[in-house]
Amino acid sequence: MNDETPICSAKGCRTAAVWVLAWNNPKLHTPERRKTWLACDEHREHLAQFLGMRGFLKDVVALAEWEQRSAADG
């Protein structure tokens, strides 16, 4: 891992991220806006449940796939 390695967003976790959890808060964001949290395998389900219980979770995508989508979008 180096300074550019994406890390998990779970509090205190320093593990490399492998998942992107795309979300938005409909009270604050337009429907098409996507905020992101990164997750390691261990914390993916916990973070997804946290966002899902609030109705914020929109998508869970492998980090590599998310990066490919972002590169294709320009």
Side-chain angles (χ1 to χ4, degrees), residues 63-73:
L63 178 58
E65 182 181 337
W66 184 268
E67 289 173 336
Q68 287 176 344
R69 288 182 190 179
S70 296
D73 291 343

Side-chain angles (χ1 to χ4, degrees), residues 39-40 42 44 49-51 54:
C40 63
E42 181 181 348
R44 181 183 67 98
Q49 286 180 354
F50 180 89
L51 293 168
R54 291 155 179 79

Side-chain angles (χ1 to χ4, degrees), residues 14-70:
R14 303 300 300 163
T15 305
V18 292
W19 298 98
V20 174
L21 289 79
W23 63 277
N24 82 2
N25 180 339
K27 292 181 180 178
L28 302 175
H29 307 121
T30 59
E32 66 280 351
R33 172 99 186 264
R34 291 294 179 267
K35 304 281 283 178
T36 57
W37 280 357
L38 302 176
C40 63
D41 282 329
E42 181 181 348
H43 292 113
R44 181 183 67 98
E45 186 62 31
H46 171 74
L47 293 173
Q49 286 180 354
F50 180 89
L51 293 168
M53 286 176 26
R54 291 155 179 79
F56 294 174
L57 186 63
K58 302 301 178 192
D59 202 4
V60 178
V61 180
L63 178 58
E65 182 181 337
W66 184 268
E67 289 173 336
Q68 287 176 344
R69 288 182 190 179
S70 296

Side-chain angles (χ1 to χ4, degrees), residues 1-7 14-16:
M1 198 163 18
N2 63 42
D3 289 342
E4 294 185 22
T5 301
I7 60 166
R14 303 300 300 163
T15 305

